[in-house]
Amino acid sequence: MNLVMTVLLLAVLASVACCFFGLAQMKGEGAELKKMTELYESGVEVQAELVGLAPFGTNGYASAVYEWLSPEGSGRYQTGAKVGHAHVVGQRYPLVFDPRNIKRVHLGTKVAVRRERKRRQGYVRSAQRMALLAFAAGALATVGLVISP
């Protein structure tokens, strides 16, 4: 096996790996995009109160608990947060939640949800491009392997 065959074989293997990675990324980011789209379309923006902030670990993280009340529903949301002056127990923070699925929550305003949705769309498009280019490169390398002496 000469050097050209080795390079083409490695190109095929690399393209298969990149193609699978792109497909996996499309699936994961597509699911997140779907969640953000549903949250943007049917989400309700409320003011949630930070009711608890308990530090854990040694690297400055804490468990933050938010509660909110609204005509569409009420709920409690727990997440991890970096400890700092930005989090004050008793303060109110904007939060968007889906009344149909109370577990679907995004800390921030509807504008932030729209921005996150747009960012996720970019991730999905990039993953599609990567998978397509990897497939094309693999096809070209396979053709090169077939026609090489």
Side-chain angles (χ1 to χ4, degrees), residues 1-85:
M1 197 151 87
N2 60 11
L3 184 62
V4 172
M5 295 280 282
T6 305
V7 168
L8 288 174
L9 188 61
L10 289 175
V12 168
L13 292 175
S15 69
V16 167
C18 285
C19 192
F20 279 134
F21 178 72
L23 292 174
Q25 191 176 12
M26 273 193 308
K27 182 175 174 149
E29 290 297 334
E32 287 297 316
L33 175 63
K34 182 180 175 189
K35 288 178 188 176
M36 282 294 147
T37 301
E38 289 174 1
L39 195 58
Y40 179 70
E41 290 171 352
S42 64
V44 177
E45 186 174 337
V46 295
Q47 290 294 316
E49 182 177 351
L50 179 61
V51 294
L53 192 63
F56 64 86
T58 58
N59 53 359
Y61 286 98
S63 174
V65 180
Y66 297 89
E67 286 184 349
W68 70 90
L69 294 169
S70 75
E72 291 82 10
S74 62
R76 187 177 183 99
Y77 177 62
Q78 183 171 356
T79 186
K82 189 113 171 117
V83 176
H85 62 279

Side-chain angles (χ1 to χ4, degrees), residues 50-138:
L50 179 61
V51 294
L53 192 63
F56 64 86
T58 58
N59 53 359
Y61 286 98
S63 174
V65 180
Y66 297 89
E67 286 184 349
W68 70 90
L69 294 169
S70 75
E72 291 82 10
S74 62
R76 187 177 183 99
Y77 177 62
Q78 183 171 356
T79 186
K82 189 113 171 117
V83 176
H85 62 279
H87 297 282
V88 179
V89 176
Q91 284 286 97
R92 295 193 162 279
Y93 299 95
L95 180 135
V96 179
F97 77 99
D98 190 353
R100 294 177 295 183
N101 184 358
I102 202 77
K103 292 184 179 186
R104 187 163 294 157
V105 175
H106 181 78
L107 285 172
T109 61
K110 289 270 279 202
V111 173
V113 171
R114 187 177 71 230
R115 253 188 254 128
E116 180 70 18
R117 186 173 139 250
K118 190 171 185 176
R119 195 169 58 105
R120 296 281 179 186
Q121 284 174 337
Y123 290 161
V124 170
R125 274 193 300 264
S126 295
Q128 288 170 341
R129 274 187 235 124
M130 182 176 64
L132 183 64
L133 289 173
F135 180 77

